[in-house]
């Protein structure tokens, strides 16, 4: 029996007979020749079936294959410079696992389908070249992020999904019946990270987070993945540097490992190649002035909307670091700038090309009394935060961290218009299936 | 200014002055000498403060430090073979970030505390040497699992947390209000993996899963992490081999990288060193006979309880692979054995030393008509499974996979009595805080 080989590995079997297992991606017929394209999830290869060279039933079996029919194909690997992957398969035999009947064909055809149709068929849509390319880039981004932190001595701490209290307000929380009690799905692991960082010095969590936002925009999912590093004894400057290094590292890794996928996505490579350190930085104050000069209505004290973020970032080819926003627009745990307490020691990183905020974070408040006061001002349930306040009672140290939303990074690096394609099975306001 | 150095890196600074940032772990006084133990999350180092060698206020500042007070310490690194890490710090100066008052001391003292007290103080308990060791081993296990699959060409596919339907019955599902609708928290990414695997050939998901189980045992959490690989064209034999290789790989990695942590946990290293391929295998049928010979009441057709699993695995030093359980005790999607349809092509792997099932999986049913029949028999809502049935309509292929529960693996490798210590912030029937 010839060896069973993955398409990505055929180059090692040139001149040999192998078995490929996969699906028919496309079929072209030219007289007494058939050119089936096979895919197996690791790659695509063109087969060649010569009528005279195979038994009639093999020729007929290939000829009658329909899109996405599953097969085991035996053939000889032949180097061919004209072939997309550099190799073709001279088909000797085929074993059809399942032929899809032409009467009930594979629902997704090369013609255009509407978005709702494709989303309803997400379980099949994932098989398209474009969606597989996005899955590959997403995989690489996640791996790069984990390697970045692991190689720098961060300890992964999986923070809980079920939480008793809200980190930043309760209006966008998903509520769960938890036996006789109620629980909320996490929006951020940060508060737990702050506990863990006092144990391990440098930590990150990386998991799904949830936001019951009734927005139906191209940037919002109800379920999305976030990586959140936290560093003890780190100040705003340190965490800005960490964020910028992370982004540059991730982009470089994708450029190194996923060029074919970026080509499938028709991503402009030169735009990604410009993502080199250092990134431009400005204070919120400077940003407001720039926005006003560009015609925005924003006044000091207001938060940036999506349009403001796009306006701001469009002058830069790299991610833009904006720091020291007014405390009033930021979460209660942000440390105030000691020289100007009305602004917080916080940072947002805006992706280029209008992709908006990809990182948000800053230095955390260490002062117990101030934190108690802020919790009261925000009318948060004090009792639920007692354990968090313990972190300021017992060996409080300066510490900083940020969150980076994976789907927005995937959207930016892949150059996608909508986050719905960034995650295998997107969940949105009106989308809970499949 | 001397460089700020992590304790794990002090060996590179022997003879030099450095700044360490961390917490007081312990303090011993001996006449005109102080021996503070400092920890920073990356390691522990003993400091030496000689009264004559430092200004009186420095000596006094160190002498009055309480457990878990936070400090920045300046000192010279000195190699000392007697020291636990091989180095000590001759303290020159100390900057106290926060001294915890002796009137309201750090709540966790070296004396024994009850489990409930420690669980209520989990946010602080994580700082203990034992808990940090577990966090380190958990980190390594997770990294090893991801490396294992990434290096073998698997594509990570994050399956959804919000699901419209139940994978295996509805009694243990957590229900979420999803805007005007209802959603359930995932118990397994498997069904989605089965869609993804037709796109990418080999996939895994790795995320939190949820089970609203009212059991209060040492093996149950309501929120736990699971890795689930799925492979197209793989049969039961292939997936048994994959599972056994994964386990051996993970154990070897922990032994290679985390010996100090295993020592802290007083884990018997020789027991882990025996986890070498191949693992023992037996059919359910053989297992039932062994159990009966050991006095169990089990009859053919019954599922194993925790006691049965312990009885079975105690004769082996390696994980035990049990295959081909009766279909009636397994999920609807399990493929029947073609030679004996009353048993399923499924597999469980039982950890040694009574740690129970760590892997469960098998070959999936590919036949559309049979799957439809099973869904009806189980009274599952057919409509919710239409997309899943599509996978059998369009290019169905044999495929297999399994799930491995991370917390049980952590419990086994660390030698823990209870899963509550395997995850940073455990969630159980009566435990939702902190």
């Amino acid at each position: 029996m010839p060896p069973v080989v993955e398409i990505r590995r055929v180059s090692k079997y040139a001149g040999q007979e192998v078995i490929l297992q996969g699906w028919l991606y496309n079929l072209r017929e030219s007289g007494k020749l058939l050119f089936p394209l096979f895919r197996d999830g690791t790659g695509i290869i063109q087969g060649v079936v010569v009528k005279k060279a195979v038994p009639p039933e093999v020729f007929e079996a290939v000829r009658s294959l329909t899109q996405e029919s599953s097969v085991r194909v035996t053939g000889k690997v032949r180097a061919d410079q004209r072939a997309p992957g550099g190799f073709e398969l001279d088909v000797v035999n085929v074993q059809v696992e399942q032929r899809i009947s032409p009467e009930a064909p594979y629902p997704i055809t090369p013609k255009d389908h509407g978005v709702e149709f494709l989303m309803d068929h997400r379980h099949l849509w994932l098989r398209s070249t474009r969606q597989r390319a996005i899955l590959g880039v997403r995989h690489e981004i996640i791996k790069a992020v984990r390697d970045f932190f692991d190689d720098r001595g961060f300890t992964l701490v999986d923070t809980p999904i079920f939480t008793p209290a809200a980190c930043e307000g309760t209006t966008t929380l998903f509520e769960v019946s938890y036996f006789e009690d109620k629980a909320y799905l996490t929006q951020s692991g940060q508060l737990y990270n702050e506990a863990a960082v006092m144990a391990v010095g440098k930590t990150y969590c990386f998991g799904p987070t949830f936001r019951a936002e009734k927005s139906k925009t191209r940037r919002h999912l109800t379920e999305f993945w976030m990586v959140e590093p936290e560093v003890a004894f780190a100040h705003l400057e340190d965490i800005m540097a960490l964020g910028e290094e992370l982004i540059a590292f991730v982009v470089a890794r994708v450029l190194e490992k996923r060029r074919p996928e970026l080509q499938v996505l028709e991503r402009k490579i030169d735009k990604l190649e410009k993502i080199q350190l250092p990134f431009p930085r400005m204070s919120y104050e400077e940003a407001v002035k720039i926005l006003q000069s560009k015609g925005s209505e924003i006044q000091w004290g207001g938060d940036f909307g999506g349009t403001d973020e796009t306006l701001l970032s469009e002058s830069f080819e790299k991610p833009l670091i904006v720091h020291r926003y007014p405390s009033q627009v930021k979460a209660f745990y942000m440390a105030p700038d000691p020289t100007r307490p009305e602004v917080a020691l916080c940072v947002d990183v805006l992706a280029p090309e209008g992709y908006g905020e990809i990182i948000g974070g800053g230095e955390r408040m260490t002062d117990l009394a101030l934190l108690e006061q802020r919790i009261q001002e925000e009318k948060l349930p004090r009792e639920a935060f007692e354990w968090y306040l313990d972190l300021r009672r017992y060996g409080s140290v300066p510490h900083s961290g940020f969150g980076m939303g994976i789907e927005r990074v995937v959207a930016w690096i892949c150059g996608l218009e909508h986050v719905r394609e960034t995650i295998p099975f997107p969940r949105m306001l009106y989308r809970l299936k499949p």
Side-chain angles (χ1 to χ4, degrees), chain A:
Chain A
M1 270 265 288
V4 174
V5 170
E6 293 177 2
I7 293 177
R8 62 174 179 147
R9 295 197 188 280
V10 289
S11 65
K12 299 199 170 69
Y13 296 84
Q16 293 180 47
E17 209 166 277
V18 300
I19 295 175
L20 303 182
Q21 305 180 129
W23 295 265
L24 183 86
Y25 197 60
N26 200 5
L27 176 64
R28 201 158 50 82
E29 193 170 347
S30 172
K32 290 169 179 177
L33 292 172
L34 299 174
F35 300 102
L37 273 181
F38 298 111
R39 66 166 196 87
D40 72 350
T42 76
I44 290 189
I45 192 168
Q46 177 163 288
V48 181
V49 195
V50 182
K51 192 164 187 176
K52 282 192 298 186
V54 294
E57 65 274 18
V58 171
F59 192 81
E60 207 37 55
V62 175
R63 204 164 74 108
S64 68
L65 283 179
T66 46
Q67 190 196 349
E68 286 302 315
S69 288
S70 44
V71 287
R72 286 165 55 93
V73 190
T74 308
K76 192 185 265 186
V77 179
R78 176 172 39 77
D80 187 324
Q81 290 190 337
R82 296 163 306 174
F87 293 89
E88 288 191 340
L89 189 77
D90 290 324
V91 175
V92 172
N93 199 357
V94 66
Q95 176 193 332
V96 180
E97 286 282 342
Q98 186 186 45
R99 175 174 177 264
I100 303 175
S101 155
E103 278 76 55
Y106 185 69
I108 303 177
T109 58
K111 73 163 189 184
D112 272 356
H113 295 281
V115 166
E116 283 307 302
F117 178 87
L118 290 171
M119 293 292 281
D120 285 340
H121 291 83
R122 185 70 178 164
H123 53 293
L124 302 175
W125 188 24
L126 291 176
R127 302 184 192 182
S128 76
T129 307
R130 176 180 164 85
Q131 296 307 316
R132 282 186 291 113
I134 298 170
L135 288 177
V137 174
R138 179 184 170 98
H139 174 112
E140 200 65 51
I141 289 170
I142 291 172
K143 183 160 182 60
V145 166
R146 291 187 176 266
D147 287 349
F148 179 88
F149 290 115
D150 293 345
D151 293 348
R152 281 161 180 75
F154 284 68
T155 301
L156 170 70
V157 169
D158 293 307
T159 51
I161 308 297
F162 288 133
T163 61
C167 180
E168 302 178 40
T170 55
T171 52
T172 58
L173 282 175
F174 282 109
E175 189 180 295
V176 187
S177 335
Y178 194 84
F179 305 108
E180 313 295 296
D181 212 346
K182 279 178 190 171
Y184 301 94
L185 298 183
T186 183
Q187 297 198 324
S188 160
Q190 183 203 315
L191 304 190
Y192 294 95
N193 268 346
E194 291 186 55
V197 82
M198 306 299 163
V200 298
K202 295 188 287 190
T203 187
Y204 70 102
C205 63
F206 196 161
T209 51
F210 305 87
R211 205 155 290 206
E213 210 147 7
K214 291 203 171 162
S215 332
K216 215 189 148 198
T217 82
R218 65 190 179 86
R219 287 187 190 169
H220 286 94
L221 296 167
T222 55
E223 175 185 319
F224 54 98
W225 287 67
M226 189 150 69
V227 60
E228 296 176 80
E230 190 79 25
V231 184
F233 292 96
H235 295 279
L236 178 60
E237 283 298 320
D238 304 308
I239 216 76
M240 286 201 282
L242 188 73
E244 125 188 292
E245 280 167 34
L246 170 65
I247 293 169
F249 180 88
V250 167
V251 172
R253 175 73 76 84
V254 173
L255 284 172
E256 179 196 337
K257 303 257 191 189
R258 300 289 177 167
R259 292 234 170 200
E261 284 86 346
L262 294 175
Q263 271 157 20
V264 165
L265 298 167
E266 298 175 346
R267 183 63 170 110
K268 293 215 173 70
I269 300 287
D270 60 322
K271 296 217 173 195
L272 294 178
E273 282 173 336
K274 287 184 179 129
I275 311 305
Q276 305 275 351
L277 299 180
F279 295 167
R281 295 184 184 197
M282 65 173 67
S283 68
Y284 166 86
E285 207 126 288
E286 294 169 82
V288 166
K289 282 181 195 150
I290 291 180
L291 284 173
Q292 286 171 340
S293 77
K294 291 189 171 206
S296 166
E297 308 267 291
I298 192 151
Q299 296 296 320
W300 196 100
D303 204 358
F304 299 150
T307 317
D308 292 319
E309 290 181 354
T310 303
L311 260 182
L312 262 182
S313 60
E314 69 182 9
S315 320
F316 300 94
E317 294 181 321
K318 299 180 186 185
L320 173 65
I321 299 176
V322 184
H323 53 82
R324 292 182 173 80
Y325 287 65
S327 299
Q328 66 198 62
V329 300
K330 290 292 176 183
F332 73 92
Y333 47 69
M334 298 270 190
D337 187 334
T339 67
R340 282 186 63 198
E342 72 276 17
V343 300
L345 293 173
C346 66
V347 58
D348 280 3
V349 181
L350 311 180
E353 304 173 62
Y355 279 95
E357 182 199 324
I358 48 175
I359 276 184
E363 196 166 327
R364 321 306 187 184
M365 198 176 274
T366 48
D367 187 81
L368 178 62
L370 194 54
L371 195 54
E372 286 173 326
Q373 183 194 318
R374 291 288 283 129
I375 284 173
Q376 200 175 1
E377 283 169 11
E378 301 270 332
K379 299 192 173 57
L380 292 166
R382 162 75 186 250
E383 198 217 325
F385 289 92
E386 276 303 323
W387 70 268
Y388 183 66
L389 294 170
D390 272 357
L391 308 177
R392 275 68 182 176
R393 294 184 183 110
Y394 304 116
S396 187
V397 302
H399 59 290
S400 305
F402 63 78
M404 183 170 88
I406 292 304
E407 283 72 21
R408 289 207 182 162
V409 173
V410 174
W412 164 47
I413 292 182
C414 290
L416 308 178
E417 271 186 33
H418 196 296
V419 287
R420 69 183 157 228
E421 287 183 73
T422 60
I423 188 166
F425 296 93
R427 296 299 184 238
M428 296 175 289
L429 180 50
Y430 299 113
R431 169 64 59 188
L432 191 55
K433 294 178 187 175

